[in-house]
Structure formats: C-alpha cells, structure tokens
Amino acid sequence: MIWNVRYQDRFKHHSLIDKVWAMDNLVQAWKHVRVNKGAAGIDKMSINMFDKDANKHLKTIQRELREKRYQPKPVKRVYIPKMNGKQRPLGIPVVKDRVVQQALKQIIEPIFEEAFLPESYGYRPGRSALDAVNAVRTYIWKHGYHAVADMDIQGFFDNVDHEVLLDLVNEKVSDGRVLRLIRQFLEAGVMEDGKVNEVNLGTPQGGVISPLLANIYLHHLDRRLHVKEITFVRYADDIVILAERIKEVRRALNLARKILEEDLKLKLNEDKTSVFRITTSKHSLKYLGYQIFLKKVQPLNTSVQRFKDKVRFVTRRQQGKSVEMVIKNLNPVIRGWGNYYRHTTIKKKYWDLDFWIQRRIRGYMTKRWWWTDIKRIPTEQIFKKGLITLESVLNIPRPLRWRGSVEPQRPDVSRMGETCMYGSEGGRRA
C-alpha cells in the first residue's frame, strides 16, 4: 500500500513528456538558462559556447528525449562558504542538463503550485524571502505570537529520500517517462576530484529543478501542519512555528518531528532547533538574515560584516581601475543589500555604513592621487562620481549630515581625526 495514498489526486496529469520536449518549451527553457548564466559543468561547455550553436543543441536534446536516449551527466561539485564558517556543497549540472531541467520545471511547476500552501515562500513565483520575514514579523507584532520554535532540519538536501520524493510527485503526475526523467536527475551522481560518486539520497543544490523538488517534498509537512491549524512560516527548509504560548509551540514541534521522521525520513538537528519566547531586547528570532525582536527588526551582525567584506573587496586599492569604475561596481552591492534589508527599524546603522563607504572611496582616491594626501576630499565630489547611498535606497526621511547638499554640523577634520572619531570599521565608537 502506498504510504501517501490518501493524497493521491483522482485526476492526475498524463502525457506530459511531449510537452517537455516541445521545441517552444525548450527554447523558452534555454532563454531562462542563458539569462541566469552560471559556470560550466564537467563537460566545460559554457553558456557562450552553447549559445553559438543553440539550435543544434536543442534539436539534439529533443531527439534524445523522444527516443528515450537522454542521459544526464554527473554534476560538478563545488563549495561555497556559509555564514557559520562552514562550506555548503553545490552541484553544477552541464548546460544541456540545465536546459532539460528548466523545460521540465516549466511543465510541472504550475501543477504543484495549485496545491502549495500560502505558508510556503521559498523559490515560488511571486514570493520571496522578504515576504517570509514580513509574515513572521506580522505574526509576532500584530497577532501576539511571541512563542516560537526555530526548526533546523539536519542536512535536508543531502537526505531527501528518492522513493518518497517520487511518491509525492506521483500524487499529481502519472507520466512514467517524466518520473523516470526526475529519477535520472536524482541519480546522476557527483564528480569530485575527477571521480564520479553514486548518489542514493538527496537532491543536489545548484540544479534548476532542485528547489521545486524540495518544495514538493516538504509540502507534505506543510499540509499536515495546516490541517492542525498550526501557525508556521517556511522558506525552503527554514521553518518557524509560532504561537501565543510555549506549550502550544512544543506540541506543534513534536508533531512536526514525528511527520519528518516517520513520513519524510528526515531528522531535526536538535542542537540548532530551539523553542523560546521573543522579548524586547534579549531574545530575538534570527531568520533569513534578519534579527526580529518584539519592537524592532535589524540585520544580523554577520550579514553586516559580509556586506562590509564585499565593499572592501570592491574598493580594494590593489586594482588598476578608475574611481568611476569602482563606484559603478560598488553601486549594485549597495543597492542589493539595501533593498533586502529595507524593512529594518534601525536606521543609524545605515547612516554609519554610508559614512564608512564614503571613507573607503576617499581612501581609494588618495591612493591614486598623491596630492590629495594632505587634503580632505569633499563628499559632494564623491557623489558627483555616481556613488549611491543606503539612505537613498531605503528612503530614509532624515538627511545625512555629511551629504554635500547639507551644511556640515561639525568642522572639517583630517582623515586621521575621522579614524579616531569613527573607528576603522565605520560607525561612532561607544
């Protein structure tokens, strides 16, 4: 007996594979892959190389899918640093496999989007991490849900059970060739240090279709919690349960643990899973880069430090670029970080960061222009070169006191005096 038989759709979708290999669908998939760019896989074929003869490659893909000869290649293993200092493993498929995954996603994603619940925010059309943060903040501030359970699934992407996942896909899709194609991607293997390793569990992070498969997998948890009228917010595998009392949160957490272990064959990381009550200043919820208290929201200190590291890299002095070029490369970093953290209630941190960024630009200019070592470069001159500020991105109503159009409220000081006043990392010293 199928373990999830009660969730099987009476009207499943048949004969989807012909829609996957339709040339219009493949062309649209290739356009998505080309826009997203990305590194080459194990075959070393880049996006530009594929683009030179795209029509030929797409026809080859279509023919192999029709003739049941398509076989995905192993993904290339790379590692990226995590916030906690560890490394996150990613799998980079070859461009050809990315196109097929995107084509498959375009066909089956609308089918499952109709079933996904509003509590799920991760990797869904029209939804973002900011929406998840705002939902959590609304529950805490407006509904009084101050008791929370911050869940951490132990190695989620590495422990997805393939058979369980295919059973969940089969609830809506009965096309055997589509299910076989998904299994092929799951079992394609990973190449690391020139050796191909077989994969029996997990879905590789980095694949085009992996986020959709992750949502399909955890949708089972969503619907079980939703039926019990439990308040929760999920962004991919980042899950928060909220309630008015600690007792209610613990009861909901125990149910979630049971569903994960018995149905989805996953485990919670008990060391990182916590139940607590949010307070005004001491106990906060750290979620998706934000730190949420009862009356304020601010970026995590680690997020601020990573932003400053990016600014330091872009404004490093050991590069042969003009100041205008450096500012042109810096503006997207400022705009992207500011847009993500625009819902913060702490503005002074951004004023300090703006002033620190301007000092970084001054340092770059003085390195290139020897005669400015004895002069203080006016802020107005920096703005004329195109530098944007976090203030302008966040629409902070109060003007910056160091803006060129505003009369300075303190006398001009040397750069050494600024360092003594504000510190080498920016921001006033305590």
Side-chain angles (χ1 to χ4, degrees):
M1 181 178 177
I2 301 177
W3 65 276
N4 59 334
V5 63
R6 60 173 170 165
Y7 297 108
Q8 296 291 321
D9 197 329
R10 291 179 57 190
F11 305 99
K12 296 185 181 183
H13 291 77
H14 304 268
S15 303
L16 295 177
I17 192 64
D18 59 323
K19 298 179 177 62
V20 174
W21 71 48
M23 186 53 66
D24 291 344
N25 188 50
L26 291 176
V27 170
Q28 186 66 28
W30 160 238
K31 290 180 180 179
H32 277 282
V33 173
R34 182 174 56 189
V35 169
N36 292 333
K37 299 181 179 180
I42 62 173
D43 62 353
K44 299 182 180 180
M45 177 180 287
S46 65
I47 295 291
N48 293 334
M49 295 170 63
F50 191 97
D51 195 20
K52 291 179 180 179
D53 207 353
N55 290 333
K56 178 181 177 181
H57 292 306
L58 294 180
K59 290 180 180 179
T60 301
I61 291 173
Q62 184 185 54
R63 183 171 61 254
E64 290 180 352
L65 288 172
R66 276 180 171 176
E67 299 174 358
K68 302 181 182 180
R69 294 190 296 107
Y70 176 78
Q71 184 63 44
K73 294 184 180 296
V75 298
K76 179 182 178 181
R77 173 69 77 211
V78 296
Y79 295 90
I80 60 173
K82 298 173 63 176
M83 292 178 58
N84 57 8
K86 298 181 180 180
Q87 290 186 320
R88 183 189 304 276
L90 292 182
I92 301 179
V94 299
V95 178
K96 177 181 175 182
D97 291 344
R98 273 181 263 174
V99 173
V100 178
Q101 288 188 25
Q102 179 65 37
L104 178 61
K105 178 184 175 183
Q106 290 170 177
I107 298 303
I108 68 172
E109 184 178 52
I111 297 173
F112 289 95
E113 272 295 322
E114 295 179 355
F116 288 160
L117 298 175
E119 290 89 347
S120 172
Y121 292 87
Y123 310 114
R124 296 183 59 188
R127 292 182 161 230
S128 66
L130 279 181
D131 295 328
V133 172
N134 284 332
V136 171
R137 186 175 63 171
T138 300
Y139 285 128
I140 295 173
W141 289 7
K142 294 186 177 181
H143 298 279
Y145 292 167
H146 300 162
V148 300
D150 188 5
M151 296 173 55
D152 183 272
I153 301 177
Q154 185 171 343
F156 168 69
F157 285 94
D158 296 329
N159 292 290
V160 170
D161 188 279
H162 294 173
E163 300 303 326
V164 173
L165 175 57
L166 291 172
D167 285 343
L168 292 170
V169 175
N170 186 241
E171 290 179 5
K172 299 286 184 181
V173 176
S174 64
D175 190 326
R177 295 183 65 177
V178 169
L179 297 174
R180 178 176 175 270
L181 188 59
I182 295 175
R183 182 184 291 276
Q184 285 180 305
F185 284 125
L186 294 173
E187 300 176 352
V190 176
M191 176 172 284
E192 187 173 7
D193 298 330
K195 181 180 178 181
V196 177
N197 300 316
E198 294 183 358
V199 177
N200 297 320
L201 285 175
T203 173
Q205 298 183 67
V208 176
I209 202 172
S210 294
L212 174 60
L213 296 180
N215 276 333
I216 293 174
Y217 202 82
L218 289 178
H219 171 64
H220 179 72
L221 174 66
D222 295 346
R223 61 193 178 192
R224 292 287 303 274
L225 296 179
H226 184 82
V227 168
K228 297 295 184 179
E229 298 183 352
I230 294 173
T231 302
F232 69 98
V233 174
R234 181 176 69 81
Y235 185 89
D237 60 331
D238 293 321
I239 309 170
V240 174
I241 297 175
L242 306 101
E244 294 182 355
R245 297 180 296 177
I246 292 290
K247 183 178 180 181
E248 297 174 2
V249 171
R250 293 189 185 279
R251 187 183 303 114
L253 180 61
N254 290 333
L255 175 61
R257 182 184 290 109
K258 180 180 179 181
I259 297 169
L260 290 172
E261 292 179 356
E262 295 183 359
D263 294 350
L264 302 180
K265 301 182 180 180
L266 297 171
K267 293 184 178 180
L268 288 178
N269 188 334
E270 301 296 344
D271 295 333
K272 296 183 179 180
T273 298
S274 56
V275 177
F276 57 93
R277 179 174 290 277
I278 299 176
T279 60
T280 303
S281 58
K282 291 185 178 180
H283 299 288
S284 63
L285 172 63
K286 299 177 181 179
Y287 191 60
L288 300 178
Y290 276 88
Q291 193 170 7
I292 306 175
F293 294 89
L294 282 187
K295 296 182 179 180
K296 65 179 180 180
V297 178
Q298 64 185 28
L300 290 174
N301 291 332
T302 52
S303 300
V304 175
Q305 290 304 318
R306 284 189 294 136
F307 170 68
K308 296 178 77 171
D309 289 341
K310 291 180 181 179
V311 174
R312 290 189 184 98
F313 178 77
V314 175
T315 59
R316 65 193 187 280
R317 300 183 183 184
Q318 298 80 10
Q319 55 180 328
K321 296 180 179 179
S322 65
V323 178
E324 290 79 5
M325 183 59 69
V326 171
I327 290 177
K328 182 179 179 181
N329 295 333
L330 179 61
N331 282 342
V333 177
I334 298 173
R335 188 179 296 109
W337 194 84
N339 281 329
Y340 185 81
Y341 290 102
R342 64 180 181 268
H343 296 302
T344 182
T345 58
I346 307 297
K347 307 301 183 184
K348 183 180 181 300
K349 186 184 295 290
Y350 296 135
W351 298 329
D352 291 339
L353 285 173
D354 274 332
F355 190 69
W356 175 79
I357 292 171
Q358 292 160 25
R359 289 199 299 108
R360 292 287 304 181
I361 296 297
R362 285 194 186 94
Y364 189 85
M365 295 170 70
T366 56
K367 182 71 174 178
R368 295 176 59 83
W369 301 346
W370 61 270
W371 54 269
T372 58
D373 284 345
I374 59 175
K375 294 183 179 180
R376 185 178 189 276
I377 301 172
T379 305
E380 184 178 358
Q381 185 176 347
I382 299 177
F383 287 151
K384 285 182 179 179
K385 295 184 178 296
L387 180 69
I388 66 172
T389 62
L390 288 170
E391 179 204 21
S392 63
V393 174
L394 295 163
N395 295 322
I396 299 175
R398 194 184 83 171
L400 293 176
R401 64 181 175 210
W402 52 82
R403 176 178 285 180
S405 60
V406 180
E407 187 69 19
Q409 299 180 5
R410 61 177 176 81
D412 202 8
V413 296
S414 65
R415 288 169 58 237
M416 182 176 294
E418 287 181 350
T419 302
C420 294
M421 181 179 295
Y422 290 95
S424 60
E425 297 300 319
R428 281 191 177 275
R429 289 182 172 177

